[in-house]
Amino acid sequence: MPKQVDHDARRTAIAQALWRVARVRGLEKVSLREVAAEAGISLGQLQHYFVNRQQLMVFAMEFMSRKNVERVTERLIAVDGTDHRARLRAIALEMLPIDEDARVGSLLNIDFLLEAARNDTLREHVRQRTAALRGLLEGQIALAVQAGDVSPDRDARAEAGLLIALADGLRTHFHLGTHTADEVVSLMDGHLDRLLGESGGRKPR
Amino acid sequence: MPKQVDHDARRTAIAQALWRVARVRGLEKVSLREVAAEAGISLGQLQHYFVNRQQLMVFAMEFMSRKNVERVTERLIAVDGTDHRARLRAIALEMLPIDEDARVGSLLNIDFLLEAARNDTLREHVRQRTAALRGLLEGQIALAVQAGDVSPDRDARAEAGLLIALADGLRTHFHLGTHTADEVVSLMDGHLDRLLGESGGRKPR
């Protein structure tokens, strides 16, 4: 091991170890000791970075959020800036369990939301993340309204709130086995068609 | 204590004790011993009815579901049978945390969904419950389509799936503090307006 430890790299390795352990057993049952073992370091070394479980969980969620933002950004780069449907869909799909990475992330995200529902610090963290996502969606919908792709009757802020709640609910029901991944995408597409189909003379599916 | 124990009453008392304990600490952290103490009986007496935690949880969820069905039925009785909007809204509101009872129930329901996401027996139980609710909503939407209150473009089954996912997502975000109870109701009303407003010439809000 080099004398000069790369602290960012180690933090990231610890977060990845947490995700690997949590993926199997659920976030709420993971101990710091197990995460240290999975990351191949001692408990003391881990506690040098994260003094308790909550600090580690917040870091791990932020790590996941950053990965999500990177994925959304990549998708948006590939999409024509004036194609508002494609842009909204790119963001919406990133909230759904459409591939293996997103499935693990979304299962752990459900665990995190649950723990946050009873923990003020985590709840505040979720609230900020949700507000940022809602802002992004709201801006995108407002642009689509300006371009005439979404009816001016629609309230961009309310629609953004609906989209996030819908994506979270669909995700939960995917993990419960109510809907397949394809059904989840199809239901979201139906909702987007309503949002985008009314004013443009586009035929709803 | 009477010699002749009323077993149904005792089961119900145990389920209520579980809810009281879980309300504070979260369902996943509740032990059978704590529930027995809360119900004022011994652990052995409790195990006479429920041999393990999972049996107790399934019973408690069914107990909650029955209470929900009773509440929906009461609401529907109070509503004109041809007023499809009012009937759909009655069912939808019952899925939202609109009063203290519903809030406790929905917080515990989130706990239950989480545990179910990793437990095959519980997942099967949730799947059946969701299928029953979806059937109820689908039938109600199909009636509204027949009556011309919902556009025939709409697929009743897909719309029922969307409504359930939306309600679950809104509920979670209520408990996370993203939306107040009023905002949750207002977002759901907006969604119902879209569903019911397109063909009837009703003006969307």
Side-chain angles (χ1 to χ4, degrees), chain B residues 113-125:
Chain B
L113 293 185
L114 181 88
E115 193 143 338
R118 282 197 177 73
N119 177 317
D120 290 340
T121 306
L122 297 183
R123 189 162 51 216
E124 183 52 34
H125 178 75

Side-chain angles (χ1 to χ4, degrees), chain A residues 22 26 107 110-111 113-114 118 123 127 134 154 158 162 165 168-169 173 175-177 179 187 194 198 203, chain B residues 22 26 110-111 113-114 118 123 127 134 153-154 158 162 165 168-170 173 175-177 179 187 194 198:
Chain A
L107 189 54
I110 293 174
D111 292 355
L113 293 184
L114 181 88
R118 282 199 179 72
R123 188 161 51 214
R127 211 169 0 220
R134 193 176 186 180
R154 299 279 185 139
L162 280 172
D168 280 345
H173 281 283
H175 290 293
L176 292 171
H179 305 302
L187 287 169
R194 307 297 169 188
E198 277 180 350
K203 170 113 182 86
Chain B
I110 293 174
D111 292 354
L113 293 185
L114 181 88
R118 282 197 177 73
R123 189 162 51 216
R127 207 162 13 212
R134 193 175 185 181
D153 285 351
R154 300 279 185 138
L162 280 172
D168 281 345
L170 287 173
H173 281 283
H175 289 294
L176 292 171
H179 305 303
L187 287 170
R194 306 297 169 190
E198 278 179 348

Side-chain angles (χ1 to χ4, degrees), chain A residues 22-29 107-108 110-118 123-124 126-127 130-131 134 151 153-155 157-159 161-166 168-170 172-173 175-179 183 187-188 190-191 194 198 203-205, chain B residues 22-29 107-108 110-118 123-124 126-127 130-131 134 151 153-155 157-159 161-166 168-170 172-173 175-179 183 187-188 190-191 194 198 203-205:
Chain A
R23 175 180 185 162
V24 181
R25 305 195 44 222
L27 205 51
E28 78 283 4
K29 285 177 187 136
L107 189 54
L108 297 178
I110 293 174
D111 292 355
F112 187 80
L113 293 184
L114 181 88
E115 193 142 336
R118 282 199 179 72
R123 188 161 51 214
E124 184 52 35
V126 173
R127 211 169 0 220
T130 306
R134 193 176 186 180
S151 159
D153 284 352
R154 299 279 185 139
D155 179 85
R157 186 155 178 73
E159 296 298 336
L162 280 172
L163 271 175
I164 292 170
L166 182 59
D168 280 345
L170 287 173
T172 305
H173 281 283
H175 290 293
L176 292 171
T178 311
H179 305 302
E183 284 166 350
L187 287 169
M188 177 57 86
H191 183 78
R194 307 297 169 188
E198 277 180 350
K203 170 113 182 86
R205 287 149 55 104
Chain B
R23 174 180 185 162
V24 181
R25 306 195 43 221
L27 205 52
E28 79 282 3
K29 285 178 187 134
L107 188 54
L108 296 178
I110 293 174
D111 292 354
F112 188 80
L113 293 185
L114 181 88
E115 193 143 338
R118 282 197 177 73
R123 189 162 51 216
E124 183 52 34
V126 173
R127 207 162 13 212
T130 306
R134 193 175 185 181
S151 160
D153 285 351
R154 300 279 185 138
D155 179 87
R157 186 155 177 73
E159 296 298 338
L162 280 172
L163 271 175
I164 293 170
L166 182 60
D168 281 345
L170 287 173
T172 305
H173 281 283
H175 289 294
L176 292 171
T178 312
H179 305 303
E183 283 166 351
L187 287 170
M188 177 57 85
H191 182 79
R194 306 297 169 190
E198 278 179 348
K203 171 110 183 89
R205 286 149 56 104

Side-chain angles (χ1 to χ4, degrees), chain B residues 68-184:
Chain B
N68 268 351
V69 169
E70 282 165 22
R71 285 164 55 121
V72 169
T73 308
E74 264 172 46
R75 277 180 189 270
L76 288 180
I77 286 170
V79 169
D80 174 6
T82 64
D83 187 344
H84 298 294
R85 185 183 201 294
R87 291 182 78 80
L88 266 174
R89 187 166 191 266
I91 305 170
L93 285 188
E94 208 44 62
M95 300 190 285
L96 299 179
I98 50 169
D99 60 30
E100 188 54 25
D101 253 21
R103 276 168 211 173
V104 175
S106 89
L107 188 54
L108 296 178
N109 198 47
I110 293 174
D111 292 354
F112 188 80
L113 293 185
L114 181 88
E115 193 143 338
R118 282 197 177 73
N119 177 317
D120 290 340
T121 306
L122 297 183
R123 189 162 51 216
E124 183 52 34
H125 178 75
V126 173
R127 207 162 13 212
Q128 285 174 16
R129 253 186 346 128
T130 306
L133 177 59
R134 193 175 185 181
L136 174 71
L137 277 166
E138 183 181 347
Q140 194 58 56
I141 297 169
L143 282 174
V145 170
Q146 274 181 17
D149 288 331
V150 165
S151 160
D153 285 351
R154 300 279 185 138
D155 179 87
R157 186 155 177 73
E159 296 298 338
L162 280 172
L163 271 175
I164 293 170
L166 182 60
D168 281 345
L170 287 173
R171 222 155 54 179
T172 305
H173 281 283
F174 166 78
H175 289 294
L176 292 171
T178 312
H179 305 303
T180 65
D182 285 349
E183 283 166 351
V184 159

